[in-house]
Amino acid sequence: MAKNRSLPAVVSQAIGGGSLKVSNGTSSDAYVKLVEPRSSTLVGSLYVKANSASTLDQIPDGTYQVLFVLGEGWNPNAQSFKKNKRFAKFDKLLNFTTTQLSNEIRYRAFRITLNPVVSGNTTTSRVNEREFDRY
């Protein structure tokens, strides 16, 4: 799905126009990380309450992996849950791109759900807490 924005726009290497909408249809809160897997760089992160959605904006061009943890008792200072932590990653990488057209710049926008959906187009795998905390 592409998101259109009219010119003029400036795209820097540090801040991009991409976006990631995360829907959390589970009964647990979630903490989501968008990472560049080759360099182990954290690109962005967000907290998503149970049965709600949140969006990460200004994502620069690149290929990224989404990791997340579901849990209870969120501690914002430690950016960690206190109990019932379940860690996972999306198996499919997300490729954020910017396309310059004659009269607009087109940015890539993705939507993901943390809960399983019928006819979904991706899978997740479990990861351990150590791998999640690497980023």
Side-chain angles (χ1 to χ4, degrees):
M1 175 169 104
K3 187 181 205 177
N4 293 327
R5 297 203 180 132
S6 299
L7 286 177
V10 177
V11 178
S12 74
Q13 291 182 8
I15 297 176
S19 67
L20 175 64
K21 181 177 181 178
V22 179
S23 297
N24 179 7
T26 74
S27 59
S28 298
D29 292 348
Y31 181 55
V32 180
K33 293 181 179 182
L34 186 67
V35 302
E36 201 292 316
R38 287 184 296 162
S39 65
S40 297
T41 302
L42 177 66
V43 176
S45 62
L46 68 158
Y47 175 79
V48 187
K49 292 187 76 61
N51 297 304
S52 66
S54 189
T55 302
L56 184 62
D57 289 316
Q58 299 182 330
I59 299 170
D61 287 2
T63 301
Y64 306 117
Q65 184 159 48
V66 176
L67 293 92
F68 64 96
V69 57
L70 300 170
E72 297 174 21
W74 176 247
N75 179 340
N77 295 326
Q79 295 187 334
S80 177
F81 291 104
K82 294 177 183 170
K83 60 182 181 175
N84 297 329
K85 298 184 256 187
R86 297 171 314 278
F87 298 89
K89 66 180 177 181
F90 279 83
D91 297 321
K92 190 177 192 181
L93 299 178
L94 303 180
N95 187 23
F96 288 87
T97 58
T98 303
T99 305
Q100 173 92 39
L101 303 174
S102 61
N103 62 346
E104 67 183 11
I105 296 176
R106 190 170 286 184
Y107 301 101
R108 188 68 199 233
F110 287 95
R111 292 181 298 182
I112 61 172
T113 58
L114 302 182
N115 52 289
V117 294
V118 176
S119 301
N121 62 1
T122 191
T123 57
T124 59
S125 298
R126 290 180 184 249
V127 295
N128 61 41
E129 188 169 3
R130 184 174 170 196
E131 180 179 351
F132 185 83
D133 288 342
R134 243 183 38 202
Y135 305 101

